[in-house]
Amino acid sequence: MSRPAGLHADVAEVLLTEEEIGAKVRELGARISTDYAGRRLTLVSVLKGSLPFMADLMRSIDIPVRIDLMEVSSYGGATTESSGLVRILKDLSASIVNEDVLIVEDIIDTGLTLNYLIRYLRGKAPASLRICTLLDKPARRLVEIKVDYVGFTIPDQFVVGYGLDYGELYRNLRYVGVLRPEVYSGTPEA
Ligand code: IMP
């Protein structure tokens, strides 16, 4: 069984550089600032993967925003697959009744996690509910979801970095990349 070589050494290919991500986040922040001008916007980030994106996006938005954090996990399923059964580990800390809410996601893959979250948050009677995702992998979508803001559409590859993990590692990469195949033959520590 092989062991991971190290943070950067485990990466086979960089898909999105730090500069490309930064430019896209600023572009999304500008669009959101224009679209929500004069309204009360609450950003709801989904931990843990969205943490860097949320931190950068909120600072690229130049209208007043509230933020809230949720954490969800999929029941069962392998490390690289979503099961669609979602457990809420951390709920919102404030009411979103009559608030304009924007969900800030790291990646939409099958869409099952987000589909659950949308239904859950709609039940809390926000004034509006939109979705912003840094990455979209439409090839694997199992449920149709209207995504309002997309950073990058990527091919059907498992990616890590800028918040995204494999076995809870690689979230601290400043870029988004694909791991070397040998890394998957080791046992993740998740
Ligand atoms: P979905 O429910 O299949 O859309 O998956 C949503 C969650 O699965 C994301 O929020 C990620 O945590 C995880 N995920 C999906 N694709 C990837 C990937 O390529 N790399 C890392 N995590 C991923």
Side-chain angles (χ1 to χ4, degrees), residues 55-72:
D56 289 342
L57 183 68
M58 62 189 261
R59 290 177 293 172
S60 298
I61 295 175
D62 60 8
I63 58 167
V65 294
R66 294 156 193 259
I67 65 162
D68 211 333
L69 304 168
M70 287 189 71
E71 184 169 5
V72 300

Side-chain angles (χ1 to χ4, degrees), residues 42-45 47 54 66-71 88-97 99 101 120-121 124:
T42 302
L43 301 174
V44 173
S45 166
L47 296 171
M54 177 69 154
R66 294 156 193 259
I67 65 162
D68 211 333
L69 304 168
M70 287 189 71
E71 184 169 5
I88 293 178
L89 302 177
K90 188 210 167 294
D91 206 340
L92 296 174
S93 54
S95 166
I96 55 167
V97 173
E99 299 289 332
V101 174
Y120 179 76
L121 292 177
K124 293 185 177 284

Side-chain angles (χ1 to χ4, degrees), residues 82 105-107 109-113 137 157-159 164-165:
S82 176
E105 261 286 20
D106 48 0
I107 188 165
D109 187 20
T110 62
L112 293 171
T113 308
K137 250 198 269 186
Q157 272 178 303
F158 191 81
V159 293
L164 291 160
D165 76 304

